[in-house]
Amino acid sequence: MKTDVVKREDVHVEQRERRVEIVPNTAVRQEKDGFLLVAEVPGVDDKSLHVTVENNILSIDAANTVAEPEGYTLALREISPVTYKARFELPDRVDTSGVKASLKNGLLRVRLPISEAKKPKRIAVAAE
Amino acid sequence: MTSYTTMNPWRLMDDFLGFDWPLSRAFGSLAGMGARYPRVNVWDGPKGWVFEAEIPGVDPAKLDVHIEGRELSIKGSRERSDGGELAFERRFELPQAVATEAIQAKFANGVLTVTLPRHPAAEFRKVAIELA
């Protein structure tokens, strides 16, 4: 495996970096009662995270925090200040009033329940 | 201002009901794919070094931070979107010796922060000259 050598002169960073917008890595999977959307938002705390649902559009807006210890110089820069932004069109069968979001260890989980009325129902067949 | 489109993964999901459909296929892998993982920022200061590594979703108990001589290694495993495990490891060579007993590591919001104080022997010191 390659070992990265830490050297002070490796990085020349502009003092004020522009915060760029990126789409977080996201996965969606179907669960028993709905969908689970998982987005990677490392460095984001709950105060700088905004999740909204409006007109069947789920929006994620989050700014990460990158440490800048005082008196220190960057030797290796792979993480930048970013705003994670994404929008998802929800299917009609999602009950938007029941959407729940949680944040843990840099992962945002959004549970999107399927409304009771839209769940498949077994139709009893009457024998004649 | 970046423009971004509204995504509808469900349109596809309807076709392949029951399958995982990682959006990440369209936006790069969930794990940073091939590139160095985890991504880090390294700070060099008068007292030593500070490493920050982005490892969202990892169980801190599955993280192993190790120092051997001047080499720091960060390794562990995390869950992939398809339920499998993804193992990762990165190694870094520091320019000077580290006070190994004073290393600190913490994990918050998917970011691992490791603080490595410089070994006192590696600090610059003014050497007093004894008069004969």
Side-chain angles (χ1 to χ4, degrees), chain B residues 3-108:
Chain B
S3 66
Y4 51 97
T5 49
T6 299
M7 290 162 274
N8 189 343
W10 290 274
R11 207 165 281 158
L12 265 153
M13 193 176 265
D14 286 345
D15 296 339
F16 306 101
L17 212 63
F19 281 80
D20 259 18
W21 189 71
L23 266 183
S24 45
R25 217 179 281 162
F27 301 105
S29 151
L30 211 73
M33 213 45 184
R36 295 168 182 178
Y37 188 88
R39 286 192 301 195
V40 298
N41 272 359
V42 183
W43 296 84
D44 186 325
K47 290 182 182 156
W49 305 271
V50 178
F51 280 71
E52 261 202 318
E54 284 187 342
I55 323 174
V58 77
D59 173 2
K62 288 187 176 170
L63 268 177
D64 178 18
V65 179
H66 205 85
I67 185 102
E68 198 177 331
R70 288 193 285 126
E71 191 173 84
L72 170 75
S73 76
I74 297 171
K75 60 181 173 182
S77 66
R78 50 162 291 182
E79 200 185 323
R80 280 200 318 243
S81 59
D82 61 6
E85 286 275 301
L86 171 88
F88 55 84
E89 179 171 10
R90 275 194 82 175
R91 291 165 189 249
F92 304 91
E93 188 191 317
L94 294 161
Q96 280 123 35
V98 175
T100 50
E101 70 289 345
I103 295 173
Q104 287 182 320
K106 63 168 187 150
F107 186 75

Side-chain angles (χ1 to χ4, degrees), chain A residues 28-47:
Chain A
V28 181
R29 65 171 175 252
Q30 183 152 28
E31 304 221 307
K32 199 166 156 250
D33 293 317
F35 302 102
L36 173 66
L37 183 146
V38 183
E40 294 189 344
V41 289
V44 170
D45 60 28
D46 49 2
K47 289 185 204 76

Side-chain angles (χ1 to χ4, degrees), chain A residues 100-125:
Chain A
K100 284 195 175 72
S102 63
L103 178 69
K104 193 188 172 192
N105 290 344
L107 283 191
L108 167 68
R109 286 170 210 272
V110 186
R111 291 193 182 276
L112 306 153
I114 289 173
S115 67
E116 285 299 323
K118 298 281 173 73
K119 276 184 186 163
K121 280 190 201 83
R122 189 184 174 125
I123 312 294
V125 179

Side-chain angles (χ1 to χ4, degrees), chain B residues 98-118:
Chain B
V98 175
T100 50
E101 70 289 345
I103 295 173
Q104 287 182 320
K106 63 168 187 150
F107 186 75
N109 298 325
V111 177
L112 169 73
T113 306
V114 187
T115 308
L116 305 119
R118 205 181 302 274

